[in-house]
Amino acid sequence: MRAILARLLCAAAAVLSCAAAQAAEVSVAVAANFTAPMQKIAAVFERDTGHKARLAFGATGKFYAQIRNGAPFELFLSADDTTPAKLEEDGSAVAGSRFTYAIGKLVLWSAQAGVVDDQGEVLKRGAFAHLAVANPKTAPYGAAALEVLRKLGVAEALAPKLVTGENIAQTHQFVATGNAELGFVALSQVWAEGRLSGGSAWLVPAELHAPLRQDAVILAKGRDNPAARALVEYLRGAKAAAIIKSYGYGQ
Amino acid sequence: MPSAADFAAIRLTLELAAVTTAILLVVGTPLAWWLARTRSRLKGVIGAVVALPLVLPPTVIGFYLLVTMGPHGPIGQLTQALGIGLLPFSFAGLVVGSVFYSLPFVVQPLQQAFEAIGERPLEVAATLRAGALDTFFSVVLPLARPGFVTAAVLGFAHTVGEFGVVLMIGGNIPEKTRVVSVQIYDHVEALEYAQAHWLSAGMLAFSFLVLFLLHSRKSGGVR
């Protein structure tokens, strides 16, 4: 009896140490617009695989500069498809590991009900003091927002009213605090459980800007990290897809 | 080479620092005088509030300013009632933020200068029947002059270096709220390292020069 118990304990210890050896940690740079879904995905990923994902959120352009300068990220979820491609060309990312994890949707949003109409006519009337956008130089959602303004022919008229957030999260903050009456944010920031979480919004038609194809890529530092590969697999799986869709992203 | 936008950012930064320093000297002098002389129990509380920006991350100051100066915040409702409109994303908003942010750098040197004067010169002035204002302008101000120089220089230099507060409440608007530190951040994010270097090296040289002059003046005074 005692021998069996000892053997069982041994086996349990072996399984545990085996799991411990396999569980790895992956450090991920995540575009700010994907903050909420990624937190959810990471929690499920950790529970399902035992791996741990350490997440950093920010502007895509900032991450690009940091990665080029040796930042210790192993996986990068960009807000566009050009930055991961550039990293791959530089040799900062693993060739062939690039894939589209989500297609972003741009929305003109106000924290107040009744400010933004569902055709975006409010932009042409211009009866507001501040329009918040993410920095077009570094945040793809900001670049897309400027493209929309140009297509609508209001870019010049509205230029003096633009306030620029460092990334899409700060842009959302400008609008959420009411300091900017409206602004271009990611649908995922104002969309939860299949509806607008508050205020008023215009979902910008996709033909008004280049598609916000959001690509992920394994970075050179994550080449041999099993957790990086596992997270990529997970992002492409059904569970992640359901979460991504619930935040209003296309796939 | 620095661009026109860089020069605009430099000019804006200098303007912000100058206006902020002027306001801080006017507001900070009576505050520092009160802190130096009072026996009130409030002294500890007010002193701590004045010193808060020394330990608070600028993003905390910026975040609360954004919320309180917004349309639903108390400052925002006041400025709207006064017909000024809202302060975030404006030069005036940056001035308010900078006054908070640089407050201890002006008040503390002044307070120390006032405390160093001690009771004696004031008592002498009183026996000569000098009024409170006369005493302040004829006795206190000349004696505290080095303190005023230190306070003005530190207040100015610290405002020039401001970043977190502006990032939170500024909105990065060219010629209105885009100061040098934000411009540098933009350059670095866009991998424009040459332009980032121009401005950064300028800031470094400026800061060093200011502190060097301040320190050499101080040690000269002791000797």
Side-chain angles (χ1 to χ4, degrees), chain B residues 67-158:
Chain B
V67 172
T68 52
M69 300 196 311
H72 316 297
I75 301 179
Q77 301 206 323
L78 179 72
T79 54
Q80 277 177 313
L82 295 173
I84 308 170
L86 293 172
L87 289 174
F89 318 132
S90 71
F91 184 77
L94 290 198
V95 171
V96 172
S98 304
V99 165
F100 268 107
Y101 175 75
S102 296
L103 190 64
F105 290 82
V106 171
V107 171
Q108 291 191 345
L110 289 181
Q111 187 185 341
Q112 281 160 18
F114 292 151
E115 281 167 354
I117 292 172
E119 296 288 334
R120 186 74 188 140
L122 305 180
E123 285 165 8
V124 173
T127 56
L128 295 172
R129 296 193 182 180
L133 272 185
D134 187 18
T135 307
F136 188 79
F137 283 103
S138 317
V139 180
V140 174
L141 273 191
L143 284 176
R145 211 181 72 91
F148 275 94
V149 176
T150 306
V153 170
L154 281 184
F156 189 90
H158 192 242

Side-chain angles (χ1 to χ4, degrees), chain A residues 109-117 181 196 198-201:
Chain A
W109 177 64
S110 169
Q112 259 186 310
V115 172
V116 177
D117 57 284
E181 294 95 319
L196 199 65
S200 50

Side-chain angles (χ1 to χ4, degrees), chain A residues 129-140:
Chain A
H130 297 294
L131 170 66
V133 296
N135 189 340
K137 254 163 115 185
T138 56

